[in-house]
Amino acid sequence: MANKVLLSNIDYNSIEHKEDVSIREKLDAIPKFKSFMMNTICALREKYISIEFAGNGIHVTQECLPDLHAHLINVCKTVGYESVPDFSLMWNYYITAGTEGANKPHITAMSGAIDLLNEDELSFLLGHEIGHQACGHKPYHMFLETLYMPLINTVPGGKIWIGLVRSTLLNWYRYSDFTADRIGLLACQDINAALTTMIKMSGMPKKYFSSINVDSFIKQSQEFDEMYSGITGNLINYVSINTAFNPWLVARAAELYRWYKSGDYEHIINSNR
C-alpha cells in the first residue's frame, strides 16, 4: 500500500451518487419501512449470517493468511474506515467479493479474486465492499436479497413489502454500486487498476491479462453511455440480482470514469495530502 494518500478527512456523504441518496431517502419516507428492515429482516439475517460465517470458508486473520489480513487493514486505513470487518475466502474462480451483515459485517472473497487480481486491483475490490459498509448500504442490500429468499414468506407482512419496494430497490442497487466504485477507486488510487479489475470481472481470459487495453474499455463504456444513457435507468429497474452476475460493469466503468474526470476524485486526494 506504499504511496497511498491516507484519507483521514474523507466525507462519505460527499462521495455518494445522488441517485443512491435520493432513492434511499424515498424508501425511508415510506411509513414503517426502515423499522421493518432493521428490526425484522436485518435481525433475522444477522443470526443466519453469524452461523454461516462460523461454519463456512477460510477465515482470514493475523494467524491465517496474514498478508491478506494486513491488506484489508491497509485498505480500511486508506479510506478512513475505522472498523475492520471480518474477512473470509471461499472456493470459486469468479473474480468477486461480497459483504454480509449490517451490525457485524464480514467480507467474503472468492479464491479467483485473490489469484487473478494484482494488489491494486484487490484494493479496488475490497474498497468497493468497504464503501457499501461506510455508506450504510448493507441493510438495503440485505432487504432486497431477502425478497428473493423463502425466508420472506415466513415474515409477517413480508409479501406486502415485495410489491411495495422491490422495483425501487432494484433500481437503487446499481446506484449503490456507483457509489461503492468511487470508494474502491479511492482505496486503490489508480484509475487503470479500477478499470482492469472491471475488465477482468467482465470476462477477460487470463492468457490475455498482459495485453489488456484500458483505453478500448473506456471507449466501449463511453459509447454505451452515449447510446443508452436515456434508457439505462429504466433498464436497471428490471435487473434482478438473481439473473445477472455482476451486471452493468460497462455502465459502472462509464460512471466511474466520468466521476474520475470530473475533478472530484483529485479534490479528495489533494485535500488529504
Side-chain angles (χ1 to χ4, degrees):
M1 302 295 292
N3 302 320
K4 298 288 190 299
V5 176
L6 300 181
L7 307 177
S8 57
N9 298 319
I10 194 168
D11 177 10
Y12 292 113
N13 291 331
S14 69
I15 297 170
E16 292 172 314
H17 191 282
K18 64 180 182 179
E19 291 298 327
D20 169 13
V21 177
S22 175
I23 295 172
R24 274 187 289 148
E25 288 176 347
K26 291 175 182 176
L27 286 166
D28 291 348
I30 299 173
K32 300 183 179 180
F33 167 76
K34 197 159 189 178
S35 63
F36 180 79
M37 176 176 69
M38 298 302 298
N39 299 328
T40 303
I41 297 299
C42 287
L44 287 171
R45 288 289 303 279
E46 291 277 6
K47 291 179 181 178
Y48 169 78
I49 289 163
S50 65
I51 296 170
E52 183 182 43
F53 178 59
N56 213 2
I58 298 172
H59 294 190
V60 177
T61 66
Q62 290 180 330
E63 293 75 32
C64 180
L65 303 173
D67 290 349
L68 277 179
H69 187 257
H71 193 111
L72 176 63
I73 291 173
N74 284 331
V75 167
C76 290
K77 287 181 179 178
T78 300
V79 297
Y81 190 70
E82 295 181 357
S83 179
V84 179
D86 291 328
F87 186 21
S88 66
L89 301 178
M90 292 186 67
W91 178 257
N92 194 307
Y93 240 60
Y94 287 116
I95 300 175
T96 190
T99 303
E100 289 281 6
N103 297 319
K104 187 174 173 52
H106 79 264
I107 296 172
T108 301
M110 299 298 109
S111 299
I114 309 305
D115 282 348
L116 301 174
L117 299 179
N118 63 34
E119 286 196 2
D120 284 339
E121 292 165 345
L122 182 59
S123 293
F124 173 78
L125 189 73
L126 294 176
H128 176 101
E129 295 304 318
I130 295 297
H132 282 312
Q133 284 294 332
C135 295
H137 292 160
K138 292 317 298 180
Y140 301 85
H141 284 175
M142 292 166 70
F143 193 112
L144 176 58
E145 291 155 3
T146 302
L147 296 180
Y148 289 85
M149 296 178 176
L151 173 65
I152 195 65
N153 297 317
T154 70
V155 177
K159 291 183 179 179
I160 296 174
W161 286 107
I162 293 175
L164 285 174
V165 301
R166 181 165 59 182
S167 63
T168 303
L169 279 168
L170 284 170
N171 186 21
W172 165 80
Y173 193 89
R174 294 306 150 200
Y175 291 116
S176 77
D177 273 343
F178 291 165
T179 292
D181 284 339
R182 295 174 181 183
I183 297 172
L185 175 58
L186 291 166
C188 71
Q189 298 180 14
D190 182 342
I191 187 62
N192 283 343
L195 293 173
T196 54
T197 306
M198 292 184 180
I199 291 170
K200 290 179 179 181
M201 293 172 71
S202 295
M204 178 64 70
K206 181 179 178 181
K207 68 178 182 179
Y208 294 116
F209 280 6
S210 62
S211 58
I212 286 176
N213 188 325
V214 173
D215 290 338
S216 176
F217 191 65
I218 291 172
K219 182 181 178 183
Q220 178 185 345
S221 69
Q222 290 173 332
E223 288 174 348
F224 174 88
D225 200 40
E226 291 169 3
M227 292 174 65
Y228 301 113
S229 59
I231 62 172
T232 299
N234 292 327
L235 288 172
I236 289 174
N237 273 311
Y238 297 96
V239 175
S240 164
I241 57 172
N242 275 7
T243 59
F245 187 82
N246 284 317
W248 303 104
L249 281 162
V250 173
R252 283 172 54 184
E255 177 60 34
L256 181 62
Y257 191 71
R258 183 189 304 110
W259 183 74
Y260 170 75
K261 297 294 286 186
S262 73
D264 289 350
Y265 166 82
E266 185 176 3
H267 173 75
I268 294 169
I269 295 295
N270 289 337
S271 66
N272 282 273
R273 288 188 186 279

